[in-house]
């Protein structure tokens, strides 16, 4: 029995980028971009709106190095050129910016809906907006209790973000997770 519990993405959009200061993240993002394209093809709709990405400051320097080490095309724009190409961006005090073509706006709510639709089409029992209350393991089965009822399976993937720590602590899995904002 395969099932999927889908919680709505809190908001219509997210960003997608290849620009990260760590080469491992850049490589993962490149693979993710391929997976996004496959999902778009399967869903028959656009889920990433390609916009390119502009980055400034020390973080941009680190990202530029990581992108270069992975062979990802990018360019450094002097502030005057960036102002001409992107007139809506305030560039006060910025001398140059990193530009990378593969920045995008992810249509998050649409993407979650597409994934649920494709999963249903493949025979998956999808339970949307069913909050997970408890997870238990017994006799080689994982039981996930939701407000819409319990479901048992041999394998479960818990992708609850910073909430995963609380859910998994019931299984004696201690993950010291905390939401952070990285600049």
């Amino acid at each position: 029995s395969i099932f999927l519990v889908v919680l709505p993405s809190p908001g219509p959009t997210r960003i997608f980028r290849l620009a990260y200061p760590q080469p491992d993240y850049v490589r993962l993002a490149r693979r993710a971009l391929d997976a996004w394209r496959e999902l778009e093809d399967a869903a028959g709709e656009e889920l990433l709106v390609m916009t390119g990405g502009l980055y400034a400051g020390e973080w941009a320097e680190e990202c530029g190095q990581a992108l270069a080490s992975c062979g990802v095309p990018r360019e450094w724009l002097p502030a005057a050129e960036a102002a001409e190409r992107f007139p809506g961006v305030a560039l006060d005090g910025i001398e140059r910016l990193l530009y990378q073509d593969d920045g995008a706006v992810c249509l998050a709510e649409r993407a979650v809906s597409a994934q649920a639709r494709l999963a249903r089409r493949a025979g998956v029992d999808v339970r949307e907006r069913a909050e997970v209350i408890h997870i238990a393991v017994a006799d080689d089965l994982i039981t996930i209790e939701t407000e819409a009822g319990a479901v048992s399976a041999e394998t479960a993937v818990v992708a609850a973000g910073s909430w995963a720590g609380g859910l998994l602590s019931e299984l004696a899995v201690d993950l010291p997770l905390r939401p952070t904002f990285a600049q």
Side-chain angles (χ1 to χ4, degrees):
S1 159
I2 297 174
F3 73 99
L4 174 68
V5 177
V6 178
L7 297 177
S9 177
T13 60
R14 295 288 181 275
I15 64 165
F16 177 86
R17 64 177 182 256
L18 298 187
Y20 288 93
Q22 301 89 0
D24 287 345
Y25 276 45
V26 172
R27 286 188 283 277
L28 285 171
R30 287 177 95 177
R31 290 177 55 200
L33 182 56
D34 292 340
W36 276 108
R37 294 300 181 219
E38 289 175 22
L39 177 60
E40 286 179 320
D41 288 346
E45 62 182 307
E46 181 181 49
L47 301 172
L48 284 182
V49 179
M50 302 309 288
T51 60
L54 280 176
Y55 312 94
E58 184 179 324
W59 190 79
E61 296 291 336
E62 294 173 16
C63 290
Q65 291 171 8
L67 289 165
S69 75
C70 295
V72 175
R74 75 253 164 250
E75 61 182 306
W76 287 101
L77 304 177
E81 183 180 341
E84 189 175 307
R85 284 175 62 179
F86 306 99
V89 178
L91 301 174
D92 299 338
I94 297 173
E95 293 181 24
R96 72 181 193 151
L97 290 101
L98 174 65
Y99 177 75
Q100 206 289 314
D101 278 336
D102 294 311
V105 174
C106 170
L107 304 176
E109 290 175 347
R110 186 185 291 185
V112 170
S113 294
Q115 290 169 331
R117 183 178 68 249
L118 292 169
R120 273 192 195 92
R121 197 177 298 158
V124 174
D125 177 4
V126 178
R127 300 183 185 197
E128 293 188 76
R129 304 179 199 285
E131 181 180 342
V132 175
I133 299 166
H134 178 71
I135 301 175
V137 178
D139 300 325
D140 294 329
L141 282 180
I142 299 165
T143 300
I144 298 180
E145 187 178 324
T146 75
E147 56 192 15
V151 180
S152 296
E154 293 177 6
T155 305
V157 176
V158 178
S162 60
W163 295 275
L167 284 171
L168 295 176
S169 67
E170 298 177 15
L171 303 174
V173 176
D174 183 28
L175 295 175
L177 301 175
R178 62 187 168 95
T180 62
F181 175 75
Q183 293 186 17

PDB file of all heavy atoms in Angstrom, residues 61-87:
ATOM      1  N   GLU A  61      30.187  36.407  -3.953  1.00  0.00           N
ATOM      2  CA  GLU A  61      31.564  36.002  -4.274  1.00  0.00           C
ATOM      3  C   GLU A  61      31.733  34.503  -4.035  1.00  0.00           C
ATOM      4  O   GLU A  61      32.282  33.786  -4.876  1.00  0.00           O
ATOM      5  CB  GLU A  61      32.569  36.793  -3.423  1.00  0.00           C
ATOM      6  CG  GLU A  61      32.581  38.279  -3.672  1.00  0.00           C
ATOM      7  CD  GLU A  61      33.123  38.678  -5.033  1.00  0.00           C
ATOM      8  OE1 GLU A  61      33.910  37.911  -5.630  1.00  0.00           O
ATOM      9  OE2 GLU A  61      32.749  39.761  -5.501  1.00  0.00           O
ATOM     10  N   GLU A  62      31.249  34.026  -2.901  1.00  0.00           N
ATOM     11  CA  GLU A  62      31.342  32.596  -2.578  1.00  0.00           C
ATOM     12  C   GLU A  62      30.536  31.759  -3.566  1.00  0.00           C
ATOM     13  O   GLU A  62      30.978  30.693  -4.008  1.00  0.00           O
ATOM     14  CB  GLU A  62      30.872  32.345  -1.151  1.00  0.00           C
ATOM     15  CG  GLU A  62      31.757  32.970  -0.090  1.00  0.00           C
ATOM     16  CD  GLU A  62      31.171  32.859   1.303  1.00  0.00           C
ATOM     17  OE1 GLU A  62      30.239  32.043   1.507  1.00  0.00           O
ATOM     18  OE2 GLU A  62      31.640  33.584   2.194  1.00  0.00           O
ATOM     19  N   CYS A  63      29.352  32.231  -3.914  1.00  0.00           N
ATOM     20  CA  CYS A  63      28.514  31.519  -4.890  1.00  0.00           C
ATOM     21  C   CYS A  63      29.199  31.465  -6.247  1.00  0.00           C
ATOM     22  O   CYS A  63      29.179  30.433  -6.920  1.00  0.00           O
ATOM     23  CB  CYS A  63      27.151  32.195  -5.027  1.00  0.00           C
ATOM     24  SG  CYS A  63      26.093  32.009  -3.587  1.00  0.00           S
ATOM     25  N   GLY A  64      29.799  32.579  -6.656  1.00  0.00           N
ATOM     26  CA  GLY A  64      30.502  32.620  -7.940  1.00  0.00           C
ATOM     27  C   GLY A  64      31.618  31.602  -7.998  1.00  0.00           C
ATOM     28  O   GLY A  64      31.815  30.927  -9.020  1.00  0.00           O
ATOM     29  N   GLN A  65      32.352  31.458  -6.897  1.00  0.00           N
ATOM     30  CA  GLN A  65      33.429  30.465  -6.845  1.00  0.00           C
ATOM     31  C   GLN A  65      32.875  29.047  -6.933  1.00  0.00           C
ATOM     32  O   GLN A  65      33.418  28.195  -7.643  1.00  0.00           O
ATOM     33  CB  GLN A  65      34.249  30.642  -5.570  1.00  0.00           C
ATOM     34  CG  GLN A  65      35.058  31.913  -5.542  1.00  0.00           C
ATOM     35  CD  GLN A  65      35.690  32.181  -4.180  1.00  0.00           C
ATOM     36  OE1 GLN A  65      35.653  31.341  -3.279  1.00  0.00           O
ATOM     37  NE2 GLN A  65      36.264  33.359  -4.032  1.00  0.00           N
ATOM     38  N   ALA A  66      31.803  28.787  -6.204  1.00  0.00           N
ATOM     39  CA  ALA A  66      31.203  27.452  -6.232  1.00  0.00           C
ATOM     40  C   ALA A  66      30.641  27.131  -7.615  1.00  0.00           C
ATOM     41  O   ALA A  66      30.824  26.017  -8.124  1.00  0.00           O
ATOM     42  CB  ALA A  66      30.111  27.340  -5.166  1.00  0.00           C
ATOM     43  N   LEU A  67      29.965  28.090  -8.236  1.00  0.00           N
ATOM     44  CA  LEU A  67      29.435  27.883  -9.590  1.00  0.00           C
ATOM     45  C   LEU A  67      30.572  27.597 -10.564  1.00  0.00           C
ATOM     46  O   LEU A  67      30.479  26.685 -11.393  1.00  0.00           O
ATOM     47  CB  LEU A  67      28.643  29.106 -10.045  1.00  0.00           C
ATOM     48  CG  LEU A  67      27.296  29.334  -9.346  1.00  0.00           C
ATOM     49  CD1 LEU A  67      26.793  30.752  -9.607  1.00  0.00           C
ATOM     50  CD2 LEU A  67      26.277  28.309  -9.783  1.00  0.00           C
ATOM     51  N   ALA A  68      31.661  28.365 -10.462  1.00  0.00           N
ATOM     52  CA  ALA A  68      32.812  28.167 -11.352  1.00  0.00           C
ATOM     53  C   ALA A  68      33.403  26.780 -11.167  1.00  0.00           C
ATOM     54  O   ALA A  68      33.737  26.106 -12.150  1.00  0.00           O
ATOM     55  CB  ALA A  68      33.871  29.244 -11.091  1.00  0.00           C
ATOM     56  N   SER A  69      33.510  26.333  -9.921  1.00  0.00           N
ATOM     57  CA  SER A  69      34.106  25.017  -9.668  1.00  0.00           C
ATOM     58  C   SER A  69      33.261  23.887 -10.232  1.00  0.00           C
ATOM     59  O   SER A  69      33.761  22.796 -10.478  1.00  0.00           O
ATOM     60  CB  SER A  69      34.351  24.813  -8.167  1.00  0.00           C
ATOM     61  OG  SER A  69      33.143  24.553  -7.489  1.00  0.00           O
ATOM     62  N   CYS A  70      31.969  24.154 -10.448  1.00  0.00           N
ATOM     63  CA  CYS A  70      31.061  23.153 -11.013  1.00  0.00           C
ATOM     64  C   CYS A  70      30.827  23.363 -12.506  1.00  0.00           C
ATOM     65  O   CYS A  70      30.013  22.653 -13.110  1.00  0.00           O
ATOM     66  CB  CYS A  70      29.730  23.186 -10.265  1.00  0.00           C
ATOM     67  SG  CYS A  70      29.850  22.697  -8.539  1.00  0.00           S
ATOM     68  N   GLY A  71      31.505  24.336 -13.097  1.00  0.00           N
ATOM     69  CA  GLY A  71      31.359  24.585 -14.527  1.00  0.00           C
ATOM     70  C   GLY A  71      30.021  25.186 -14.925  1.00  0.00           C
ATOM     71  O   GLY A  71      29.578  25.011 -16.059  1.00  0.00           O
ATOM     72  N   VAL A  72      29.364  25.889 -14.011  1.00  0.00           N
ATOM     73  CA  VAL A  72      28.057  26.488 -14.291  1.00  0.00           C
ATOM     74  C   VAL A  72      28.259  27.875 -14.885  1.00  0.00           C
ATOM     75  O   VAL A  72      28.961  28.704 -14.299  1.00  0.00           O
ATOM     76  CB  VAL A  72      27.207  26.585 -13.008  1.00  0.00           C
ATOM     77  CG1 VAL A  72      25.905  27.316 -13.283  1.00  0.00           C
ATOM     78  CG2 VAL A  72      26.935  25.200 -12.438  1.00  0.00           C
ATOM     79  N   PRO A  73      27.646  28.165 -16.031  1.00  0.00           N
ATOM     80  CA  PRO A  73      27.768  29.499 -16.628  1.00  0.00           C
ATOM     81  C   PRO A  73      27.226  30.576 -15.685  1.00  0.00           C
ATOM     82  O   PRO A  73      26.186  30.389 -15.050  1.00  0.00           O
ATOM     83  CB  PRO A  73      26.908  29.414 -17.886  1.00  0.00           C
ATOM     84  CG  PRO A  73      26.774  27.960 -18.171  1.00  0.00           C
ATOM     85  CD  PRO A  73      26.835  27.264 -16.847  1.00  0.00           C
ATOM     86  N   ARG A  74      27.944  31.685 -15.602  1.00  0.00           N
ATOM     87  CA  ARG A  74      27.549  32.815 -14.788  1.00  0.00           C
ATOM     88  C   ARG A  74      28.317  34.015 -15.308  1.00  0.00           C
ATOM     89  O   ARG A  74      29.278  33.868 -16.049  1.00  0.00           O
ATOM     90  CB  ARG A  74      27.834  32.594 -13.303  1.00  0.00           C
ATOM     91  CG  ARG A  74      29.304  32.725 -12.944  1.00  0.00           C
ATOM     92  CD  ARG A  74      29.932  31.376 -12.641  1.00  0.00           C
ATOM     93  NE  ARG A  74      31.379  31.442 -12.659  1.00  0.00           N
ATOM     94  CZ  ARG A  74      32.126  30.881 -13.602  1.00  0.00           C
ATOM     95  NH1 ARG A  74      31.574  30.262 -14.614  1.00  0.00           N
ATOM     96  NH2 ARG A  74      33.421  30.935 -13.541  1.00  0.00           N
ATOM     97  N   GLU A  75      27.892  35.196 -14.909  1.00  0.00           N
ATOM     98  CA  GLU A  75      28.637  36.381 -15.315  1.00  0.00           C
ATOM     99  C   GLU A  75      28.604  37.418 -14.207  1.00  0.00           C
ATOM    100  O   GLU A  75      27.664  37.483 -13.428  1.00  0.00           O
ATOM    101  CB  GLU A  75      28.107  36.955 -16.625  1.00  0.00           C
ATOM    102  CG  GLU A  75      26.672  37.421 -16.606  1.00  0.00           C
ATOM    103  CD  GLU A  75      26.200  37.941 -17.959  1.00  0.00           C
ATOM    104  OE1 GLU A  75      26.853  38.838 -18.533  1.00  0.00           O
ATOM    105  OE2 GLU A  75      25.159  37.441 -18.425  1.00  0.00           O
ATOM    106  N   TRP A  76      29.662  38.198 -14.151  1.00  0.00           N
ATOM    107  CA  TRP A  76      29.752  39.316 -13.218  1.00  0.00           C
ATOM    108  C   TRP A  76      29.390  40.575 -13.978  1.00  0.00           C
ATOM    109  O   TRP A  76      29.942  40.855 -15.036  1.00  0.00           O
ATOM    110  CB  TRP A  76      31.164  39.427 -12.641  1.00  0.00           C
ATOM    111  CG  TRP A  76      31.437  38.338 -11.652  1.00  0.00           C
ATOM    112  CD1 TRP A  76      32.143  37.193 -11.868  1.00  0.00           C
ATOM    113  CD2 TRP A  76      30.986  38.290 -10.310  1.00  0.00           C
ATOM    114  NE1 TRP A  76      32.160  36.430 -10.732  1.00  0.00           N
ATOM    115  CE2 TRP A  76      31.458  37.076  -9.748  1.00  0.00           C
ATOM    116  CE3 TRP A  76      30.231  39.141  -9.506  1.00  0.00           C
ATOM    117  CZ2 TRP A  76      31.210  36.704  -8.435  1.00  0.00           C
ATOM    118  CZ3 TRP A  76      29.972  38.773  -8.194  1.00  0.00           C
ATOM    119  CH2 TRP A  76      30.462  37.565  -7.668  1.00  0.00           C
ATOM    120  N   LEU A  77      28.445  41.327 -13.444  1.00  0.00           N
ATOM    121  CA  LEU A  77      27.983  42.547 -14.087  1.00  0.00           C
ATOM    122  C   LEU A  77      28.419  43.763 -13.277  1.00  0.00           C
ATOM    123  O   LEU A  77      28.149  43.829 -12.073  1.00  0.00           O
ATOM    124  CB  LEU A  77      26.453  42.561 -14.184  1.00  0.00           C
ATOM    125  CG  LEU A  77      25.772  41.393 -14.888  1.00  0.00           C
ATOM    126  CD1 LEU A  77      24.261  41.555 -14.807  1.00  0.00           C
ATOM    127  CD2 LEU A  77      26.229  41.313 -16.328  1.00  0.00           C
ATOM    128  N   PRO A  78      29.067  44.730 -13.923  1.00  0.00           N
ATOM    129  CA  PRO A  78      29.310  46.005 -13.231  1.00  0.00           C
ATOM    130  C   PRO A  78      27.955  46.634 -12.894  1.00  0.00           C
ATOM    131  O   PRO A  78      26.964  46.413 -13.604  1.00  0.00           O
ATOM    132  CB  PRO A  78      30.065  46.843 -14.255  1.00  0.00           C
ATOM    133  CG  PRO A  78      30.509  45.891 -15.310  1.00  0.00           C
ATOM    134  CD  PRO A  78      29.579  44.712 -15.276  1.00  0.00           C
ATOM    135  N   ALA A  79      27.891  47.414 -11.842  1.00  0.00           N
ATOM    136  CA  ALA A  79      26.628  47.999 -11.388  1.00  0.00           C
ATOM    137  C   ALA A  79      25.912  48.760 -12.505  1.00  0.00           C
ATOM    138  O   ALA A  79      24.690  48.665 -12.632  1.00  0.00           O
ATOM    139  CB  ALA A  79      26.863  48.903 -10.181  1.00  0.00           C
ATOM    140  N   ALA A  80      26.663  49.507 -13.323  1.00  0.00           N
ATOM    141  CA  ALA A  80      26.037  50.289 -14.402  1.00  0.00           C
ATOM    142  C   ALA A  80      25.333  49.370 -15.403  1.00  0.00           C
ATOM    143  O   ALA A  80      24.204  49.648 -15.836  1.00  0.00           O
ATOM    144  CB  ALA A  80      27.083  51.149 -15.105  1.00  0.00           C
ATOM    145  N   GLU A  81      25.980  48.273 -15.761  1.00  0.00           N
ATOM    146  CA  GLU A  81      25.360  47.328 -16.703  1.00  0.00           C
ATOM    147  C   GLU A  81      24.156  46.644 -16.074  1.00  0.00           C
ATOM    148  O   GLU A  81      23.119  46.461 -16.711  1.00  0.00           O
ATOM    149  CB  GLU A  81      26.385  46.285 -17.161  1.00  0.00           C
ATOM    150  CG  GLU A  81      25.824  45.332 -18.195  1.00  0.00           C
ATOM    151  CD  GLU A  81      26.833  44.293 -18.666  1.00  0.00           C
ATOM    152  OE1 GLU A  81      28.059  44.494 -18.477  1.00  0.00           O
ATOM    153  OE2 GLU A  81      26.376  43.277 -19.231  1.00  0.00           O
ATOM    154  N   ALA A  82      24.286  46.270 -14.804  1.00  0.00           N
ATOM    155  CA  ALA A  82      23.165  45.634 -14.104  1.00  0.00           C
ATOM    156  C   ALA A  82      21.979  46.593 -14.019  1.00  0.00           C
ATOM    157  O   ALA A  82      20.824  46.190 -14.214  1.00  0.00           O
ATOM    158  CB  ALA A  82      23.595  45.186 -12.718  1.00  0.00           C
ATOM    159  N   ALA A  83      22.251  47.876 -13.749  1.00  0.00           N
ATOM    160  CA  ALA A  83      21.176  48.871 -13.661  1.00  0.00           C
ATOM    161  C   ALA A  83      20.468  49.027 -15.003  1.00  0.00           C
ATOM    162  O   ALA A  83      19.244  49.212 -15.053  1.00  0.00           O
ATOM    163  CB  ALA A  83      21.744  50.204 -13.196  1.00  0.00           C
ATOM    164  N   GLU A  84      21.222  48.930 -16.078  1.00  0.00           N
ATOM    165  CA  GLU A  84      20.636  49.043 -17.409  1.00  0.00           C
ATOM    166  C   GLU A  84      19.785  47.815 -17.744  1.00  0.00           C
ATOM    167  O   GLU A  84      18.684  47.928 -18.272  1.00  0.00           O
ATOM    168  CB  GLU A  84      21.762  49.202 -18.443  1.00  0.00           C
ATOM    169  CG  GLU A  84      21.263  49.534 -19.829  1.00  0.00           C
ATOM    170  CD  GLU A  84      22.422  49.803 -20.776  1.00  0.00           C
ATOM    171  OE1 GLU A  84      23.272  50.655 -20.441  1.00  0.00           O
ATOM    172  OE2 GLU A  84      22.471  49.144 -21.831  1.00  0.00           O
ATOM    173  N   ARG A  85      20.290  46.627 -17.417  1.00  0.00           N
ATOM    174  CA  ARG A  85      19.571  45.393 -17.725  1.00  0.00           C
ATOM    175  C   ARG A  85      18.388  45.155 -16.794  1.00  0.00           C
ATOM    176  O   ARG A  85      17.394  44.544 -17.186  1.00  0.00           O
ATOM    177  CB  ARG A  85      20.524  44.191 -17.646  1.00  0.00           C
ATOM    178  CG  ARG A  85      21.442  44.097 -18.841  1.00  0.00           C
ATOM    179  CD  ARG A  85      22.458  42.990 -18.734  1.00  0.00           C
ATOM    180  NE  ARG A  85      21.904  41.651 -18.646  1.00  0.00           N
ATOM    181  CZ  ARG A  85      22.672  40.550 -18.560  1.00  0.00           C
ATOM    182  NH1 ARG A  85      23.992  40.651 -18.589  1.00  0.00           N
ATOM    183  NH2 ARG A  85      22.117  39.365 -18.466  1.00  0.00           N
ATOM    184  N   PHE A  86      18.521  45.621 -15.530  1.00  0.00           N
ATOM    185  CA  PHE A  86      17.490  45.374 -14.515  1.00  0.00           C
ATOM    186  C   PHE A  86      17.111  46.697 -13.851  1.00  0.00           C
ATOM    187  O   PHE A  86      17.473  46.953 -12.702  1.00  0.00           O
ATOM    188  CB  PHE A  86      18.001  44.364 -13.481  1.00  0.00           C
ATOM    189  CG  PHE A  86      18.497  43.087 -14.090  1.00  0.00           C
ATOM    190  CD1 PHE A  86      19.858  42.874 -14.291  1.00  0.00           C
ATOM    191  CD2 PHE A  86      17.607  42.104 -14.489  1.00  0.00           C
ATOM    192  CE1 PHE A  86      20.323  41.705 -14.866  1.00  0.00           C
ATOM    193  CE2 PHE A  86      18.065  40.931 -15.072  1.00  0.00           C
ATOM    194  CZ  PHE A  86      19.423  40.728 -15.266  1.00  0.00           C
ATOM    195  N   PRO A  87      16.372  47.551 -14.561  1.00  0.00           N
ATOM    196  CA  PRO A  87      16.104  48.900 -14.059  1.00  0.00           C
ATOM    197  C   PRO A  87      15.271  48.943 -12.768  1.00  0.00           C
ATOM    198  O   PRO A  87      15.290  49.940 -12.069  1.00  0.00           O
ATOM    199  CB  PRO A  87      15.371  49.577 -15.217  1.00  0.00           C
ATOM    200  CG  PRO A  87      14.846  48.470 -16.057  1.00  0.00           C
ATOM    201  CD  PRO A  87      15.779  47.312 -15.873  1.00  0.00           C
TER     202      PRO A  87
END
